[in-house]
Amino acid sequence: MEGALLRIEGLGKTYGKYAALKAVSFSLYPGDIMGIVGANGAGKSTLLSILGMIQKPTAGEVYFKGKRTRESRAEYLSCIGYVPQEIALFEEMSGRENLYFFGKSYGLSKECLKERIAEVCALTEMSTEWLDKPVSTYSGGMKRKVNISAALLHRPELLLLDEPVANLDFETEEQVIGALKRLAESGTTILYVGHQMERMEELCNRFCLLEKGNVLVIGTKEELLFGETEKKTLKQLLREQKGRTPEKE
């Protein structure tokens, strides 16, 4: 297998005496769609915020293409797209204005942005008739699409997603999952944090199960869900692994 795109070694995060992450280690390879699974408080969002450089770890290292991200911050950030759990948009601005704002923060020119905005809106099936209306008038699903679109404007190699289909209606959820599949087919590597296990089974080719900041188990969909005699679901796997001694990659 070719070299890791992202490598995490002994990642830890503490808040006072509370350890949100405990020596988490795994690698993400080009073309992977890895699902991070676990109960509330498992450390999923903390992990993603560290990888998105929103928080700093208290232990361990993150490597992107073999380089420490803390030593190549600007280069790393230019290669990733981060979609947080909470919608991060300017409500008084239109969807198009939001996309121009975020696109300029990536250093994209106005001419380039016109093309990229059309590209990402087509990918996420965002209705262009709403683009020039204030975000405050959008549904939750439309805001989520704009949020994801903003993270894709610079064509990132690695996409970090925190609960991307949470609280969406079925049709919008289908559209978002379809967009992620098309992104993966085009070569984008995805790290997906979520609770929608059926959707994650459909989308992801690898899984990492977390419990109380520890990695319980990590592997491919085939290794974890397809046994010799029967297929498991992610929910069944999580129930089986709960409380077991954490494994190392």
Side-chain angles (χ1 to χ4, degrees), residues 76-96:
Y76 172 62
L77 289 176
S78 72
C79 295
I80 69 169
Y82 176 51
V83 182
Q85 187 172 353
E86 298 298 324
I87 300 294
L89 298 172
F90 298 100
E91 293 275 328
E92 72 281 4
M93 292 165 56
S94 70
R96 192 185 305 276

Side-chain angles (χ1 to χ4, degrees), residues 87-89 91 95 124-127 130-131 133-148 164 166-173 175-176:
I87 300 294
L89 298 172
E91 293 275 328
T124 58
E125 299 184 60
M126 176 69 190
S127 175
W130 282 89
L131 269 184
K133 296 180 180 181
V135 167
S136 59
T137 66
Y138 290 11
S139 67
M142 290 170 62
K143 290 178 182 179
R144 177 60 69 183
K145 286 184 180 181
V146 175
N147 228 31
I148 294 173
N167 303 315
L168 299 185
D169 62 74
F170 178 78
E171 182 178 357
T172 306
E173 187 177 303
Q175 291 171 347
V176 169

Side-chain angles (χ1 to χ4, degrees), residues 4 20 22 40-41 73 81 100-101 122 129 139 146 154 164 168 180-181 184 208 210-211 213 232:
K22 306 170 187 175
N40 290 333
R73 179 185 176 91
Y100 268 106
F101 175 85
E129 68 179 277
S139 67
V146 175
H154 59 307
L168 299 185
L180 296 179
K181 287 179 178 179
C208 174
L210 292 180
E211 181 180 354
K232 297 178 183 177

